[in-house]
Amino acid sequence: ALLDRLSLADPRSASNMAAAASAATAGDLTISEYPFLAELGLTEDNLGCYDGKEWFATGEVYTSTCPATGKPIARVTQASAADYERCVSACKSAEAKWASMPAPARGEIVRQIGMALREKIDALGKLVTLEMGKIKAEGIGEVQEFVDICDMAAGLSRSFAGQMLPSERPGHVLLECWNPIGTCGIISAFNFPVAVYGWNVSISMMCGNCNLWKGSDTVPLTTIATTKIVAEVLERNGIPAGVVTLAQGTGAVVGELMANDKRVPLVSFTGSTGVGRKVSTTVQGRFGRSLLELGGNNASIVMPDADLKLAVSASVFGAVGTAGQRCTSLRRLFVHSSVYDEVLAGLKKAYAGIKPKDPLADDALLAPVHGERGMAVFRSGIEKVRAQGGVIECGGEAFECEGSFAQPTIVTGLAPTAAVVQEEHFAPIMYVFKFDTLEEAIAANNAVPQGLSASIFTRDMRNVFKWVGPSGSDTGLVNVNCGTSGAEIGGAFGGNKETGGGRESGSDAWKQYCRRSTCTINYSDALPLAQGLTFDV
């Protein structure tokens, strides 16, 4: 099956069915050790589908596992093809009513969703940590992103607008109008199981669309808990069933059905470039629209005039945060030869103090990679580094402890053109290179297939404006004196080249969730033609 076959190489949207094939017995499950899960409405056995009225599911049973311990948490019954059909049908039945509601009224519902998330931010953030693996501060911060985008969408509901354009014909005017597209399909990744959905559903709802979500196979509890929070708001307000639906299942079932479904005119996909390419081809084959957030192979440049302490701190967070499993994680660091030794020493000193810890602890810094599959990605990257002649300055192994903790790794001795450097490895592996001129560093930054995020550290304004200009970085996110990760919701998020070209979150990203019309209105009693044509009958 299309998405399931390709997901085997995709750590973000992978089904991970092999690891979850055996359903744990009630005695094995650890859900009772985490009281906050009950606050989120989760139990030992959970249903993975919601049609706006009821929870249901008739597919296979998946056991969710904590990557920090390797122990099973709870079970989820996934969506079958019939369950998917029920969810899509619910969306279609709600489209007209939801689209006809005034945009500010839709925005008020989204605002209330943000308030409901605020009330559960601690519990939901801890669940992200428990199931995905990122440290608690990042888990809570991810829920905060959803809250923030709800606030922005609520305001946008009173201000998103088209244009009035002048006409060359007397007594005519041109209007640019934006209307709902219908139903938006959302396929999110394991590394941001709440925020990516929030970016999409908040703006899509505000624009007047219904929404069908397939969360990553490996974080179904987070997907269900998030949907429960949203559903409570919709049901309390009497919103038509089908505005928000969930079909939590595999790529082989739900993903493939969604990609091929003409009733879903927009599919937003977050995941690897390989799978995204197939999703894009399939959706385009039916003349649908795809919004793609794919791989990143992000770089930072440290100039000789940079604040080196700032550069080192930002680089450590960029490479180690979320165990290198952000699409914006720092993979490549280009350091001017005059400060190379000092920066490398600073990085190694910082890395030496980073140790595994329960990610739910307040002072945790290092998260586990996402289970055995994440560890396999890490080990594969290290094997390629060694085979291609790289020097491992620190790290390179798994920690000898419970769970899937990989040692943050710094690699030198490779050329920027090395095959392993050109790939995105979703793991805490950072390659460090020397350079002598800014032009050389920019060329190396741009010489990868991906184009998501990049940054430069410098105090020289000449460097800054070269970096952000036409001869600078070719990425979608271009940063100065800050790292490659940690984008804010106010700007459009996304990248170029093999990152997919999609834009989510802020700025005018809302336009991707609408159909656009140019409307010509004749308010005169005559019928003049454009371009000075005459056609007298």
Side-chain angles (χ1 to χ4, degrees):
L2 170 67
L3 300 183
D4 193 52
R5 283 199 312 268
L6 291 161
S7 68
L8 295 178
D10 179 16
R12 283 170 289 180
S13 62
S15 63
N16 202 19
M17 292 303 294
S22 58
T25 65
D28 296 328
L29 299 175
T30 58
I31 186 170
S32 62
E33 299 176 18
Y34 307 102
F36 58 85
L37 298 181
E39 181 184 344
L40 296 169
L42 298 173
T43 61
E44 289 182 350
D45 292 284
N46 303 274
L47 298 173
C49 298
Y50 175 72
D51 65 357
K53 293 180 180 178
E54 298 177 327
W55 287 88
F56 58 96
T58 59
E60 297 181 357
V61 174
Y62 179 91
T63 302
S64 181
T65 301
C66 173
T69 65
K71 297 177 181 178
I73 306 168
R75 293 180 291 259
V76 172
T77 303
Q78 301 178 105
S80 64
D83 298 333
Y84 169 85
E85 180 63 32
R86 179 171 167 180
C87 290
V88 176
S89 296
C91 288
K92 302 307 290 183
S93 68
E95 280 184 358
K97 287 184 179 180
W98 181 243
S100 66
M101 182 180 292
R106 298 193 300 258
E108 167 59 17
I109 299 302
V110 175
R111 186 195 69 81
Q112 291 183 35
I113 291 171
M115 295 302 295
L117 288 163
R118 282 181 172 91
E119 294 174 1
K120 298 288 180 68
I121 192 168
D122 188 68
L124 187 57
K126 287 179 180 178
L127 174 55
V128 173
T129 295
L130 180 69
E131 190 175 37
M132 183 271 146
K134 62 181 63 176
I135 61 173
K136 185 173 72 172
E138 289 187 277
I140 292 174
E142 180 174 345
V143 182
Q144 184 64 48
E145 271 197 74
F146 196 167
V147 171
D148 292 342
I149 199 75
C150 285
D151 287 347
M152 191 185 80
L156 192 60
S157 70
R158 293 181 178 272
S159 61
F160 78 111
Q163 302 182 74
M164 177 179 289
L165 303 169
S167 172
E168 66 183 74
R169 289 173 281 182
H172 286 61
V173 67
L174 303 180
L175 301 180
E176 182 183 78
C177 297
W178 299 86
N179 287 296
I181 197 170
T183 291
C184 173
I186 303 168
I187 302 176
S188 59
F190 84 83
N191 59 331
F192 279 87
V194 174
V196 169
Y197 176 62
W199 293 348
N200 283 276
V201 77
S202 301
I203 303 299
S204 179
M205 286 181 67
M206 183 277 300
C207 289
N209 298 318
C210 295
N211 302 273
L212 171 59
W213 186 18
K214 174 202 155 351
S216 172
D217 305 8
T218 57
V219 287
L221 298 177
T222 304
T223 304
I224 291 169
T226 303
T227 302
K228 284 180 178 290
I229 294 171
V230 174
E232 191 278 329
V233 173
L234 301 184
E235 292 177 13
R236 183 177 70 236
N237 283 275
I239 300 303
V243 172
V244 168
T245 64
L246 171 66
Q248 179 62 27
T250 65
V253 178
V254 178
E256 188 164 354
L257 287 169
M258 189 185 296
N260 282 282
D261 196 340
K262 291 184 177 180
R263 297 169 296 176
V264 184
L266 171 64
V267 176
S268 174
F269 173 82
T270 302
S272 74
T273 296
V275 179
R277 182 178 286 112
K278 295 298 182 181
V279 170
S280 176
T281 301
T282 302
V283 174
Q284 178 58 39
R286 58 177 175 83
F287 293 102
R289 187 187 304 178
S290 56
L291 195 169
L292 304 175
E293 296 290 354
L294 309 178
N297 194 351
N298 314 295
S300 288
I301 296 172
V302 181
M303 297 297 291
D305 65 310
D307 181 331
L308 299 187
K309 182 178 179 181
L310 184 72
V312 168
S313 296
S315 298
V316 172
F317 174 70
V320 178
T322 323
Q325 296 171 120
R326 291 181 177 226
C327 52
T328 54
S329 289
L330 180 61
R331 314 286 179 200
R332 301 172 296 141
L333 181 63
F334 297 94
V335 184
H336 193 271
S337 56
S338 64
V339 294
Y340 178 87
D341 291 340
E342 183 178 353
V343 170
L344 182 58
L347 291 169
K348 291 170 71 173
K349 180 180 178 181
Y351 272 47
I354 299 173
K355 304 296 182 184
K357 198 168 194 175
D358 178 359
L360 285 168
D362 290 337
D363 58 348
L365 294 176
L366 179 65
V369 293
H370 195 57
E372 285 302 316
R373 188 173 297 275
M375 190 60 74
V377 171
F378 172 73
R379 291 192 176 108
S380 172
I382 295 300
E383 288 174 6
K384 291 179 180 180
V385 163
R386 291 187 169 124
Q388 295 175 31
V391 176
I392 296 178
E393 298 284 347
C394 61
E397 305 288 344
F399 280 105
E400 294 183 1
C401 64
E402 182 181 56
S404 302
F405 287 88
Q407 295 177 0
T409 301
I410 297 174
V411 176
T412 60
L414 291 171
T417 55
V420 69
V421 176
Q422 294 288 306
E423 301 174 10
E424 179 196 38
H425 278 91
F426 228 52
I429 303 172
M430 178 172 63
Y431 309 100
V432 184
F433 310 95
K434 287 182 184 179
F435 73 90
D436 292 313
T437 68
L438 177 57
E439 291 75 15
E440 174 191 352
I442 291 174
N445 172 75
N446 295 347
V448 293
Q450 309 86 358
L452 179 53
S453 184
S455 69
I456 191 170
F457 292 88
T458 182
R459 294 186 176 104
D460 190 329
M461 286 296 104
R462 293 170 298 179
N463 296 335
V464 170
F465 283 97
K466 183 163 189 175
W467 175 243
V468 303
S471 299
S473 177
D474 65 0
T475 55
L477 306 173
V478 182
N479 305 314
V480 177
N481 292 326
C482 56
T484 58
S485 59
E488 299 179 37
I489 60 101
F493 181 91
N496 305 321
K497 302 188 296 189
E498 289 191 2
T499 303
R503 294 296 186 273
E504 294 172 328
S505 193
S507 185
D508 65 349
W510 60 268
K511 293 179 179 179
Q512 295 183 97
Y513 302 90
C514 294
R515 57 177 171 85
R516 178 178 188 167
S517 304
T518 299
C519 307
T520 303
I521 299 176
N522 179 3
Y523 57 88
S524 73
D525 296 323
L527 191 63
L529 300 178
Q531 293 83 50
L533 297 178
T534 59
F535 191 77
D536 296 326
V537 293

